[in-house]
Amino acid sequence: MFSTCMLHPATMKSIAQQLGVTVSTVSRALQDHPRIGLRTRERVHELAEQWGYVPNSTAINLKRKRTFNIGVVLPFLTEQFFSMAISGIEDVAIGEGYSVLLMQSRNDYERERIAISTFIKHGVDGIIVSLASETHNNDHFSTVNNHGLPIVFFDRVARNLPNSCVYADLTEVTTEAVDYLFRRGIDRIALLNGPGTLQATDERLTGYLTALASRGVPVNQAYLKNLDLSRDNTIRAMNELLELPEPPRAVLAFHDYIALDAMQVCRERGLVINQDIFFVSYSNLSFCAYLEQPPIASIEQFPYEMGRKAAEFVIATISDPAATERQINVIRPALTIRPEWRIDQ
């Protein structure tokens, strides 16, 4: 019979002493090595289970020269868009034996820089990032590249860096969204856009301007607002739009959360959503279906698929460090018009 009294966590050494074998024998037995006899393997497994032995993953990973950890930096975990992306990342990572470590930038450059530095110090095998809205330079990412650590960007991707990335190009779908509003007879359309630091902001603006140009509609600069994505900034910008001599009849909002804040401003001013003013937003998050008056259309960006592909990219590079070629996956977004607002073709 084995002794069941353990004052300290079980180790391979304590198991070996109890069974009168070497530590290397225990190690091989736990891995079901064929050189170890069946009876010895059974005794080792039985005692390991009885004593609650847990392999020292740190030691195992040190031998393999990997931690099997992937660091992920996101703007906000509370936003459904990013929680969906995390689900995609985790599904791939866990399937490949990796753990996912999360940190939030909260759209703050300094927090993002600290998060990257923390992951480097803790020796993660790779990093996945969606940029903070306030990120104004890429020095901290260049440091990651100098360490030879794989890094992949998704959704909010870094300009002028040689890293793999996954994003939805929003140019054409923005043109499609604005054209949809024109076909509904609406030509006073405002754009509540994001910060100029983001590539996606440029894509939205380009798509918007293309749609206006195709219709011969002059650009009203007063209808163009760049936001820092905070609630207060959104409220201020929406009030400015409504105070114009000719306020917009429709608003294209950077994402669903911006749309919600802007719609609340309209309600407080006595406007009826989807009657006095219309909204089209990006993200197409599930909570919009529960709104009494949701945006009449949303742009689906497929965050889960983005997360999956970003995880696949970073794990592929971890597995083959020699594979340094940049990979780019552009997700095709889709304009989703709510059934009651579809236009018969």
mmCIF file of all heavy atoms in Angstrom, residues 89-100 315:
data_model
loop_
_atom_site.group_PDB
_atom_site.id
_atom_site.type_symbol
_atom_site.label_atom_id
_atom_site.label_comp_id
_atom_site.label_asym_id
_atom_site.label_seq_id
_atom_site.Cartn_x
_atom_site.Cartn_y
_atom_site.Cartn_z
ATOM 1 N N ILE A 89 -9.807 33.787 -30.815
ATOM 2 C CA ILE A 89 -8.403 33.567 -30.450
ATOM 3 C C ILE A 89 -8.275 32.358 -29.536
ATOM 4 O O ILE A 89 -7.434 31.477 -29.748
ATOM 5 C CB ILE A 89 -7.827 34.826 -29.770
ATOM 6 C CG1 ILE A 89 -7.711 35.976 -30.784
ATOM 7 C CG2 ILE A 89 -6.454 34.525 -29.149
ATOM 8 C CD1 ILE A 89 -7.374 37.317 -30.152
ATOM 9 N N GLU A 90 -9.123 32.288 -28.513
ATOM 10 C CA GLU A 90 -9.040 31.186 -27.550
ATOM 11 C C GLU A 90 -9.347 29.839 -28.189
ATOM 12 O O GLU A 90 -8.698 28.834 -27.870
ATOM 13 C CB GLU A 90 -10.002 31.438 -26.389
ATOM 14 C CG GLU A 90 -9.539 32.503 -25.424
ATOM 15 C CD GLU A 90 -10.462 32.632 -24.224
ATOM 16 O OE1 GLU A 90 -11.654 32.296 -24.356
ATOM 17 O OE2 GLU A 90 -9.980 33.069 -23.172
ATOM 18 N N ASP A 91 -10.329 29.801 -29.074
ATOM 19 C CA ASP A 91 -10.689 28.526 -29.693
ATOM 20 C C ASP A 91 -9.514 27.923 -30.455
ATOM 21 O O ASP A 91 -9.286 26.720 -30.418
ATOM 22 C CB ASP A 91 -11.891 28.702 -30.629
ATOM 23 C CG ASP A 91 -13.200 28.828 -29.867
ATOM 24 O OD1 ASP A 91 -13.189 28.617 -28.635
ATOM 25 O OD2 ASP A 91 -14.224 29.140 -30.497
ATOM 26 N N VAL A 92 -8.759 28.776 -31.138
ATOM 27 C CA VAL A 92 -7.580 28.288 -31.863
ATOM 28 C C VAL A 92 -6.449 27.980 -30.891
ATOM 29 O O VAL A 92 -5.822 26.921 -30.959
ATOM 30 C CB VAL A 92 -7.119 29.321 -32.911
ATOM 31 C CG1 VAL A 92 -5.775 28.912 -33.518
ATOM 32 C CG2 VAL A 92 -8.166 29.458 -34.011
ATOM 33 N N ALA A 93 -6.180 28.904 -29.974
ATOM 34 C CA ALA A 93 -5.043 28.753 -29.058
ATOM 35 C C ALA A 93 -5.181 27.514 -28.181
ATOM 36 O O ALA A 93 -4.236 26.714 -28.062
ATOM 37 C CB ALA A 93 -4.900 29.998 -28.190
ATOM 38 N N ILE A 94 -6.332 27.331 -27.573
ATOM 39 C CA ILE A 94 -6.538 26.177 -26.688
ATOM 40 C C ILE A 94 -6.428 24.880 -27.473
ATOM 41 O O ILE A 94 -5.872 23.887 -26.997
ATOM 42 C CB ILE A 94 -7.899 26.295 -25.979
ATOM 43 C CG1 ILE A 94 -7.862 27.461 -24.986
ATOM 44 C CG2 ILE A 94 -8.254 24.996 -25.255
ATOM 45 C CD1 ILE A 94 -9.201 27.790 -24.360
ATOM 46 N N GLY A 95 -6.949 24.883 -28.690
ATOM 47 C CA GLY A 95 -6.849 23.700 -29.524
ATOM 48 C C GLY A 95 -5.426 23.313 -29.852
ATOM 49 O O GLY A 95 -5.133 22.143 -30.117
ATOM 50 N N GLU A 96 -4.522 24.306 -29.813
ATOM 51 C CA GLU A 96 -3.102 24.054 -30.098
ATOM 52 C C GLU A 96 -2.264 23.959 -28.833
ATOM 53 O O GLU A 96 -1.033 23.933 -28.898
ATOM 54 C CB GLU A 96 -2.550 25.171 -31.001
ATOM 55 C CG GLU A 96 -3.183 25.238 -32.384
ATOM 56 C CD GLU A 96 -2.827 24.032 -33.231
ATOM 57 O OE1 GLU A 96 -1.745 23.438 -33.014
ATOM 58 O OE2 GLU A 96 -3.628 23.673 -34.122
ATOM 59 N N GLY A 97 -2.915 23.923 -27.661
ATOM 60 C CA GLY A 97 -2.199 23.754 -26.403
ATOM 61 C C GLY A 97 -1.641 25.029 -25.804
ATOM 62 O O GLY A 97 -0.766 24.976 -24.932
ATOM 63 N N TYR A 98 -2.149 26.191 -26.225
ATOM 64 C CA TYR A 98 -1.664 27.470 -25.704
ATOM 65 C C TYR A 98 -2.665 28.084 -24.727
ATOM 66 O O TYR A 98 -3.877 27.867 -24.840
ATOM 67 C CB TYR A 98 -1.438 28.469 -26.852
ATOM 68 C CG TYR A 98 -0.215 28.183 -27.690
ATOM 69 C CD1 TYR A 98 -0.262 27.247 -28.719
ATOM 70 C CD2 TYR A 98 0.985 28.847 -27.451
ATOM 71 C CE1 TYR A 98 0.854 26.971 -29.485
ATOM 72 C CE2 TYR A 98 2.110 28.581 -28.224
ATOM 73 C CZ TYR A 98 2.037 27.640 -29.225
ATOM 74 O OH TYR A 98 3.151 27.367 -29.983
ATOM 75 N N SER A 99 -2.142 28.859 -23.787
ATOM 76 C CA SER A 99 -2.977 29.674 -22.914
ATOM 77 C C SER A 99 -2.964 31.103 -23.421
ATOM 78 O O SER A 99 -1.993 31.540 -24.056
ATOM 79 C CB SER A 99 -2.458 29.635 -21.471
ATOM 80 O OG SER A 99 -2.527 28.326 -20.948
ATOM 81 N N VAL A 100 -4.041 31.839 -23.147
ATOM 82 C CA VAL A 100 -4.161 33.224 -23.603
ATOM 83 C C VAL A 100 -4.126 34.156 -22.399
ATOM 84 O O VAL A 100 -4.915 34.004 -21.460
ATOM 85 C CB VAL A 100 -5.469 33.428 -24.394
ATOM 86 C CG1 VAL A 100 -5.636 34.896 -24.780
ATOM 87 C CG2 VAL A 100 -5.481 32.548 -25.643
ATOM 88 N N ILE A 315 0.499 31.530 -34.129
ATOM 89 C CA ILE A 315 0.948 30.179 -33.782
ATOM 90 C C ILE A 315 1.778 29.573 -34.907
ATOM 91 O O ILE A 315 2.767 28.873 -34.651
ATOM 92 C CB ILE A 315 -0.263 29.293 -33.424
ATOM 93 C CG1 ILE A 315 -0.868 29.755 -32.094
ATOM 94 C CG2 ILE A 315 0.151 27.820 -33.323
ATOM 95 C CD1 ILE A 315 -2.164 29.060 -31.723
#
